[in-house]
Amino acid sequence: MIYKIKESLELRLNLSYIAIQGLYWMIVCCTISLGSAYLSNRGYSTVGIGALFAIAYLIASILQQLISIETDKSSRFNVLDVLAVLGAVLAVDLLFAVNTDAKGFGTGFTFLIAAMIATIMQPFLNALNFHIEKYDIKMNYGVARASGSFFFFIMSLLAGNLMKSISEKAAPVLGLIVTILFIANVFWIFKELKSTGKDLAKDYDPFQAANDSSFDILDSDSIKLFIEKYKMFFIFLIGLMGFYFGHVLINNFLYQITVNVGGDEADTGGLLAMQAIVELPAMIFFTWLKDRFGSKLLLAFSAVFYFVKIFATTIATSVGMLYFSMIFQALAFAVFIPASVHFVDEIMSEKDAVKGQSFVTVAMTLSNLLSSLLGGILIRIIGVTASLWFGTVVTLCGVVVSIYGLVKIKQK
């Protein structure tokens, strides 16, 4: 096995990409997923936590576009450079986070920066797969992404238990360690690609197709024409915002939900781990599922199970019941993410699909913002259980609207 790794550049790059995906999702666990537990233990209210999440997501969505445009224009730097710089900034930020006081400006600010950078990284990390393929290297993205969920599973258990037994600062400390390893892996991949002797005239950019299509999401005339052409698709997006609302509510305030039924940081980590591990089957076998049932049916199926998940979470009265509710992640989020990409490609032309995928991202971002802000406020005013019931109703409405849109949409 060691000989094969030493002799095969393709195998080494695939293993490096698997590692970098795993390290990235460990970063996400430490900087975003355990964010509510970290901030709560440092004295922040749910309103403050929700606001910090919302601001981080909003700034990240803007910077993703700006960075991608500059990457597309430049011949001096590529997606590896972007990941290296983002990783370096994140490492410095987490170093400061480790040395912050409890409920101070530094705690909130360093969390915001960390969550923002982790969010920005994702499309560029996915783009790295295609960047490597431009060197005539065959990549297995599905295995790498599935490994991300497995590494997330490990970090959730480790960080959750250390936060309970030692300190909430375990999250930024572990985040710093894996970020340093992430940066090292970026440089390793750069070295491996350089050894091929190939010099790409133009490097892959995650939003290159969007830039090439001359589509401006702020162009009102372009948006109006697109909506008229795909009315039912936008009905589906309205529904998406509804059923994704409950998903974000659970993820961003999982610590508060866990405490509400008698749990703690270790239980929160365990629940996050459960979510991650049950995602693996759907991710590994998604191609088979798509070929057998079609993306449209899978999207409707996932929407229903978003409702089932939040309903099971809402009626949970113990940590054990919360664990049961997390099982439905396998039939909701794990199916929805890949199905949404394939679905857009199935109902639109190649040029329109770029725009369609942009609108899916916008709808998810808006849902993130609304759920983060409203969730924090509602939990503060009416409590966890009532807020979950509110999220359940919103999710159910979203499911009904989205399925109506899906039924009316015709394949291209």
Side-chain angles (χ1 to χ4, degrees):
M1 181 63 182
I2 295 175
Y3 177 78
K4 286 184 178 180
I5 294 173
K6 185 177 180 180
E7 293 298 314
S8 174
L9 175 64
E10 181 176 300
L11 180 57
R12 290 200 305 273
L13 283 169
N14 270 278
L15 289 175
S16 294
Y17 188 67
I18 286 172
I20 207 169
Q21 277 278 359
L23 290 167
Y24 168 73
W25 286 102
M26 284 182 160
I27 290 171
V28 169
C29 180
C30 294
T31 59
I32 297 177
S33 300
L34 289 169
S36 63
Y38 170 71
L39 292 172
S40 289
N41 278 293
R42 308 219 79 190
Y44 278 76
S45 68
T46 55
V47 176
I49 293 170
L52 285 171
F53 271 117
I55 295 169
Y57 293 143
L58 178 61
I59 297 176
S61 65
I62 296 170
L63 289 181
Q64 275 176 350
Q65 295 293 331
L66 294 177
I67 295 171
S68 68
I69 290 170
E70 290 304 313
T71 305
D72 186 52
K73 289 179 180 178
S74 177
S75 59
R76 293 179 300 169
F77 60 89
N78 57 49
V79 69
L80 278 168
D81 299 306
V82 172
L83 288 171
V85 171
L86 290 173
V89 174
L90 179 58
V92 173
D93 176 73
L94 290 172
L95 184 61
F96 278 108
V98 172
N99 294 287
T100 56
D101 296 323
K103 188 184 177 182
F105 171 78
T107 296
F109 182 74
T110 52
F111 166 78
L112 189 152
I113 297 298
M116 179 188 74
I117 293 176
T119 303
I120 293 172
M121 278 181 171
Q122 187 170 359
F124 294 96
L125 184 67
N126 293 338
L128 178 58
N129 177 82
F130 302 102
H131 176 75
I132 296 172
E133 286 183 337
K134 284 200 167 187
Y135 286 82
D136 299 323
I137 302 293
K138 187 177 180 181
M139 299 294 289
N140 193 326
Y141 176 81
V143 171
R145 179 58 187 86
S147 74
S149 293
F150 180 73
F151 278 93
F152 184 98
F153 161 77
I154 295 172
M155 181 56 80
S156 299
L157 293 176
L158 178 63
N161 280 284
L162 288 179
M163 287 175 74
K164 177 187 177 183
S165 60
I166 300 177
S167 167
E168 72 276 359
K169 285 190 178 182
V173 169
L174 290 171
L176 176 61
I177 293 170
V178 294
T179 299
I180 292 171
L181 293 174
F182 178 91
I183 297 168
N185 214 321
V186 170
F187 281 102
W188 175 261
I189 292 174
F190 173 79
K191 180 184 175 182
E192 291 281 21
L193 293 177
K194 191 174 182 180
S195 70
T196 64
K198 294 183 180 180
D199 183 20
L200 300 184
K202 186 174 180 62
D203 291 287
Y204 179 84
D205 170 69
F207 300 96
Q208 181 179 344
N211 295 334
D212 291 344
S213 70
S214 301
F215 174 64
D216 183 357
I217 205 158
L218 298 178
D219 182 353
S220 58
D221 291 334
S222 177
I223 292 174
K224 183 178 179 181
L225 289 172
F226 194 74
I227 292 175
E228 289 176 353
K229 186 176 181 180
Y230 297 103
K231 291 179 181 178
M232 288 300 109
F233 174 70
F234 280 87
I235 296 296
F236 164 71
L237 291 185
I238 292 171
L240 186 162
M241 289 177 62
F243 68 70
Y244 205 71
F245 181 95
H247 169 74
V248 177
L249 183 65
I250 293 173
N251 281 3
N252 283 1
F253 300 100
L254 184 59
Y255 175 68
Q256 286 75 17
I257 294 169
T258 307
V259 170
N260 189 53
V261 295
D264 53 30
E265 296 89 345
D267 295 315
T268 303
L271 290 166
L272 288 169
M274 171 66 82
Q275 283 194 122
I277 204 69
V278 298
E279 288 176 357
L280 291 176
M283 289 184 175
I284 294 171
F285 297 107
F286 179 76
T287 301
W288 179 84
L289 290 171
K290 179 177 70 70
D291 292 341
R292 185 175 179 84
F293 300 106
S295 297
K296 183 191 286 191
L297 182 59
L298 288 176
L299 276 179
F301 181 83
S302 68
V304 170
F305 277 94
Y306 271 116
F307 167 73
V308 173
K309 179 186 172 184
I310 192 171
F311 178 73
T313 303
T314 302
I315 63 173
T317 56
S318 66
V319 173
M321 290 179 71
L322 282 182
Y323 269 101
F324 174 74
S325 71
M326 295 300 115
I327 294 174
F328 298 109
Q329 178 86 348
L331 304 173
F333 180 82
V335 173
F336 167 75
I337 294 299
S340 64
V341 176
H342 288 280
F343 174 66
V344 170
D345 288 335
E346 289 173 6
I347 67 169
M348 299 180 185
S349 63
E350 184 176 351
K351 184 177 180 179
D352 284 345
V354 172
K355 304 173 186 178
Q357 200 57 55
S358 296
F359 278 113
V360 171
T361 302
V362 169
M364 292 169 67
T365 300
L366 288 174
S367 188
N368 261 311
L369 293 173
L370 290 171
S371 188
S372 297
L373 288 172
L374 284 177
I377 294 170
L378 287 173
I379 290 174
R380 179 68 178 270
I381 296 174
I382 62 177
V384 171
T385 303
S387 298
L388 284 172
W389 277 116
F390 176 81
T392 302
V393 173
V394 172
T395 301
L396 179 59
C397 293
V399 171
V400 173
V401 172
S402 64
I403 290 178
Y404 173 78
L406 287 170
V407 170
K408 295 291 184 179
I409 291 175
K410 296 179 180 179
Q411 304 290 103
K412 67 181 178 183

